[in-house]
Amino acid sequence: MVAFGKKLKERQIEEWQGYYINYKLMKKSVKQYGQQIELGHLDRRHVLKDFSRTLDNQIEKIVLFLLEQQGILAGRIASLGEQQEALQEQPDISRIAELREAYRKVGQDLLKLLYFIEINAIGLRKILKKFDKRFGYRFTDYYVKTRANHPYSQLQQVFKHVGLGAVVGAISRNLHELQDRQGSYLSIYDEPALPIEEPVIQSIRAAVDRLSNSTNFLNFLAQHALIMDMQDELPSPAEEDAENKRYHFMSLLLNLANTFLYMVNTYIVVPTADDYSMSLGAAATVCGIVIGSMAVAQVFSSVYFSAWSNRSYFRPLIFSSIVLFMGNLMYALAYDFNSITILLLGRLFCGLGSARAVNRRYISDCVPLKIRMQASASFVSASALGMACGPALAGLLQTNFKIYKLTFNQDTLPGWVMAIAWLLYLVWLWISFREPACYTDEVPVTPDSSAAATTEAETEALEKGLKKPLLLSSEDKENDEDGDPECDASDEAPEESRRPATSFRAAYRLLTPSVKVQLLIYFMLKYSMEVLLSESSVVTTYYFNWSTSSVAIFLACLGLTVLPVNIFVGNYVSNLFEDRQILLASEIMVCIGVLLSFNLFVPYTVAQYVSSGLIMFVSAEVLEGVNLSLLSRVMSSRLSRGTYNGGLLSTEAGTLARVVADGTITLAGYLGESKLLNVTLLPSLFICIVSIVATCFTYNSLY
């Protein structure tokens, strides 16, 4: 890994060297603060005040230079505008060509300025994180909130990039008007959908889009997916080129389609699993085993798919599609064979085809950083949409007919529909998927990739734009491994300590108490959600005599709350409160939802069941996003890659919770349907209380 301090120095624009953040100085200051506090020469209050003043000075230097350069660019555009006005009276083709070239030059200089902001933003995030990690403070949140919300904020000037937006608009409009459009008086404001052919405009727009799209909501969804490899590093041109070669849009779309179909496959059987079990001579509560058998198999499939994705993406996806096709076929045929065994084997096969580890890994390894956050958010959105579409689709499959000796009814049609869907997906996958080129964890960087590179290479690097906005430091997940030699040795981990875990045992040793608590919370919320969803058909039939269609509508409505809730939390709630505050509040709300769900009064009403279920489900959704966001930050960087990564651990915790929940439903069924609800809710309540207590004990370590 190339040291960030060294990379910062190499990638600086020579004539602007004095205006970059002095990362080396600030890193030395952090080291000196630590030494002086240990010797008792400084108290922490003095350190906070002094470090804040140093940061203010550095940011002021950057912002004033940024404003100066914006003014220079604005002056050049104004001068070119005057020349353009003169051409309106006396057009000159050669002069128009010169003006267009001049505007392109301004655009290239604007790209340099965007790149200048990126380097300084990364430096600021890393030094804030280093300070927090060294002294155990929540200084980053304090500093950002106090500076960004102040009326004279300099951080806000960079974060809102109002001036840069005006410059981008001016260059775009004037270049567009200078295009060879004989007899046309259209402006970009009159017809914004008009294509802009200028490469420099496309590069600027891409850079600004990445800056604008890196919102809290996208970060929230991306971390909801727990795709751990979202580095806060400045990629070299060689690294960017390697990423672009691996990336293939259709392959990404196929991975997202796999995620969507698998979630549909998981939940399409929930509304009818109890009826199907009874039609085969089993008790209605055996639906817990029918639904949960898929999760049982997923516990094992997640491991081998994660290991397989180290060597290939195409082959595991092909295998997954074939196994899921066979599993759904067996599920559908179980009715005509009158065999509960075939039914369960079909669901086990479906679980063995779970390729979510491959889908996550593909996004982490093969999607360029500039769109990785959007891809991660799409992964979560595809999962949420599949979760809603599964029960809704089951509600539509209310028919009964036979073709030859094969029965097609509400019980078997989910299997037939998904078998056909996976067969079509398999064909699409075979035709369209492109196996990415071989990759390595490290991309060698030669001295020629520094500031001495050619103008063309420099331009290519500048076009990559901004990866994250300046103020998202609290979302930064990468461990501090910049490796500058001037830092104290304790900050630099040897190569051995950066290698990924090679077994579950090695991964477990890397789990701190904070990580263990977050995994417990993830287990709790998945358990509570699975109990609510899996037993919904049995409970609502017993208490309210709901039809399959009514159950399907209820479950679909729950699934449709996922994205709106994430939008609300990501855009608003996360800006007002710390993640750990939202975490604890969400746990308490889940606990309240569980308590309200108990059947303590007769009669048990629809309003009580629906409202308590909604509180529990929505709170669990909020909790899941915040939980995975915190987990991605407190987890060791060694768990961000390799087979036994953080995504696999969280998947195993969640899958195990589903297995236990579905097993509990089946066992509780032996006590009778009248006691099913309360018996299954008791473990949820217990685990929820334990997780709240554990959160309180580790609260101060959740940064």
Side-chain angles (χ1 to χ4, degrees), residues 155-315:
L155 273 180
Q156 199 175 51
Q157 174 68 31
V158 178
F159 181 59
K160 298 298 182 184
H161 58 277
V162 176
L164 287 177
V167 175
V168 172
I171 296 174
S172 302
R173 183 182 67 83
N174 286 291
L175 266 176
H176 177 77
E177 291 181 358
L178 286 172
Q179 285 183 351
D180 188 16
R181 297 181 180 274
Q182 298 295 332
S184 174
Y185 297 93
L186 290 174
S187 163
I188 61 170
Y189 303 115
D190 300 321
E191 195 170 344
L194 282 173
I196 297 177
E197 303 294 339
E198 291 289 343
V200 67
I201 296 300
Q202 292 177 347
S203 299
I204 292 171
R205 285 163 66 97
V208 173
D209 284 346
R210 283 192 294 274
L211 176 64
S212 302
N213 289 337
S214 294
T215 60
N216 285 347
F217 171 53
L218 285 179
N219 275 282
F220 190 78
L221 283 184
Q223 289 172 327
H224 198 135
L226 199 64
I227 293 170
M228 302 284 293
D229 208 16
M230 305 276 288
Q231 291 108 324
D232 187 16
E233 276 293 340
L234 189 61
S236 68
E239 292 169 328
E240 290 172 340
D241 184 59
E243 282 184 339
N244 290 331
K245 286 180 179 178
R246 291 199 299 270
Y247 175 61
H248 181 230
F249 173 75
M250 187 58 70
S251 300
L252 172 61
L253 191 61
L254 281 160
N255 273 279
L256 295 177
N258 184 282
T259 297
F260 169 77
L261 287 175
Y262 187 78
M263 293 304 290
V264 172
N265 209 150
T266 300
Y267 290 99
I268 194 172
V269 305
V270 172
T272 58
D274 57 335
D275 289 337
Y276 204 169
S277 301
M278 292 172 65
S279 68
L280 298 178
T285 51
V286 173
C287 69
I289 294 180
V290 173
I291 297 170
S293 55
M294 192 168 176
V296 171
Q298 191 179 342
V299 171
F300 304 98
S301 66
S302 296
V303 179
Y304 68 72
F305 272 117
S306 182
W308 202 349
S309 63
N310 290 326
R311 300 184 297 276
S312 173
Y313 299 99
F314 179 64
R315 288 191 292 273

Side-chain angles (χ1 to χ4, degrees), residues 264-566:
V264 172
N265 209 150
T266 300
Y267 290 99
I268 194 172
V269 305
V270 172
T272 58
D274 57 335
D275 289 337
Y276 204 169
S277 301
M278 292 172 65
S279 68
L280 298 178
T285 51
V286 173
C287 69
I289 294 180
V290 173
I291 297 170
S293 55
M294 192 168 176
V296 171
Q298 191 179 342
V299 171
F300 304 98
S301 66
S302 296
V303 179
Y304 68 72
F305 272 117
S306 182
W308 202 349
S309 63
N310 290 326
R311 300 184 297 276
S312 173
Y313 299 99
F314 179 64
R315 288 191 292 273
L317 288 176
I318 289 288
F319 176 78
S320 165
S321 304
I322 294 172
V323 171
L324 281 158
F325 168 75
M326 294 173 59
N328 283 287
L329 196 61
M330 293 171 68
Y331 184 86
L333 292 173
Y335 188 91
D336 293 307
F337 281 96
N338 194 29
S339 172
I340 190 72
T341 303
I342 294 178
L343 181 74
L344 294 175
L345 285 174
R347 289 292 288 177
L348 283 170
F349 264 67
C350 289
L352 291 173
S354 172
R356 286 173 65 82
V358 179
N359 305 144
R360 277 194 178 104
R361 187 71 178 272
Y362 184 87
I363 294 174
S364 174
D365 291 346
C366 303
V367 176
L369 275 171
K370 59 187 177 184
I371 61 169
R372 192 174 299 164
M373 191 173 297
Q374 289 90 330
S376 303
S378 299
F379 176 85
V380 175
S381 301
S383 299
L385 188 60
M387 185 178 181
C389 287
L393 186 58
L396 297 175
L397 301 177
Q398 302 299 301
T399 186
N400 192 349
F401 61 93
K402 277 197 171 189
I403 298 179
Y404 297 107
K405 295 183 179 181
L406 300 178
T407 304
F408 297 85
N409 57 25
Q410 67 172 13
D411 297 332
T412 63
L413 275 171
W416 290 117
V417 168
M418 292 312 303
I420 294 171
W422 284 113
L423 185 61
L424 294 174
Y425 174 81
L426 180 60
V427 175
W428 180 25
L429 181 70
W430 188 271
I431 295 171
S432 303
F433 191 86
R434 188 178 76 189
E435 186 77 270
C438 294
Y439 61 91
T440 58
D441 290 336
E442 302 271 343
V443 178
V445 179
T446 63
D448 293 333
S449 66
S450 66
T454 63
T455 304
E456 183 178 352
E458 181 184 9
T459 301
E460 180 186 354
L462 295 177
E463 289 175 356
K464 298 306 176 184
L466 293 176
K467 178 172 60 183
K468 286 186 179 179
L470 180 62
L471 301 185
L472 290 180
S473 54
S474 64
E475 303 295 327
D476 180 18
K477 298 178 291 188
E478 180 185 318
N479 270 14
D480 183 23
E481 295 174 349
D482 10 19
D484 288 354
E486 57 268 20
C487 177
D488 65 338
S490 63
D491 288 341
E492 306 306 327
E495 190 64 31
E496 284 287 336
S497 66
R498 290 189 221 144
R499 290 180 181 173
T502 56
S503 65
F504 272 120
R505 185 177 180 181
Y508 182 80
R509 289 175 178 172
L510 295 173
L511 302 183
T512 63
S514 298
V515 175
K516 291 176 182 177
V517 169
Q518 295 309 306
L519 289 175
L520 171 64
I521 293 171
Y522 193 67
F523 179 94
M524 177 272 291
L525 69 91
K526 284 297 182 183
Y527 181 94
S528 301
M529 291 172 68
E530 188 71 10
V531 165
L532 172 66
L533 298 175
S534 295
E535 71 178 13
S536 58
S537 182
V538 179
V539 169
T540 55
T541 301
Y542 178 78
Y543 286 106
F544 318 126
N545 200 28
W546 278 9
S547 65
T548 300
S549 297
S550 300
V551 178
I553 292 171
F554 171 66
L555 294 177
C557 289
L558 287 180
L560 289 173
T561 63
V562 174
L563 282 180
V565 167
N566 281 322

Side-chain angles (χ1 to χ4, degrees), residues 73-181:
L73 292 176
R76 289 168 60 186
I77 292 173
S79 176
L80 293 173
E82 293 173 0
Q83 299 175 44
Q84 189 173 338
E85 284 293 329
L87 283 176
Q88 298 292 335
E89 301 174 1
Q90 191 174 359
D92 183 341
I93 299 299
S94 63
R95 185 66 187 131
I96 289 176
E98 291 177 5
L99 270 179
R100 290 177 68 184
E101 191 59 38
Y103 275 118
R104 291 189 192 106
K105 178 60 178 172
V106 175
Q108 292 290 344
D109 290 342
L110 176 58
L111 278 172
K112 288 184 179 180
L113 198 57
L114 289 169
Y115 193 61
F116 170 83
I117 298 173
E118 177 186 16
I119 291 178
N120 284 291
I122 293 174
L124 178 60
R125 282 199 299 271
K126 291 181 78 68
I127 201 64
L128 282 168
K129 183 175 181 181
K130 178 176 283 294
F131 187 88
D132 281 349
K133 183 178 178 182
R134 182 67 182 264
F135 300 108
Y137 294 155
R138 189 70 175 178
F139 177 74
T140 297
D141 279 359
Y142 157 77
Y143 186 81
V144 169
K145 286 178 182 177
T146 55
R147 268 58 176 179
N149 296 327
H150 196 277
Y152 305 129
S153 167
Q154 293 170 331
L155 273 180
Q156 199 175 51
Q157 174 68 31
V158 178
F159 181 59
K160 298 298 182 184
H161 58 277
V162 176
L164 287 177
V167 175
V168 172
I171 296 174
S172 302
R173 183 182 67 83
N174 286 291
L175 266 176
H176 177 77
E177 291 181 358
L178 286 172
Q179 285 183 351
D180 188 16
R181 297 181 180 274

Side-chain angles (χ1 to χ4, degrees), residues 25-34 36-37 41-59 127-128 131 135 137 139 142-143 147:
L25 171 67
M26 300 191 75
K27 200 169 180 183
K28 281 186 174 180
S29 297
V30 172
K31 176 185 175 182
Q32 290 169 359
Y33 289 146
Q36 290 175 351
I37 287 176
H41 296 163
L42 286 177
D43 59 23
R44 297 196 171 193
R45 187 174 179 180
H46 176 85
V47 167
L48 290 173
K49 185 176 180 181
D50 190 63
F51 190 64
S52 297
R53 184 168 56 248
T54 304
L55 277 175
D56 289 340
N57 291 337
Q58 290 291 317
I59 293 171
I127 201 64
L128 282 168
F131 187 88
F135 300 108
Y137 294 155
F139 177 74
Y142 157 77
Y143 186 81
R147 268 58 176 179

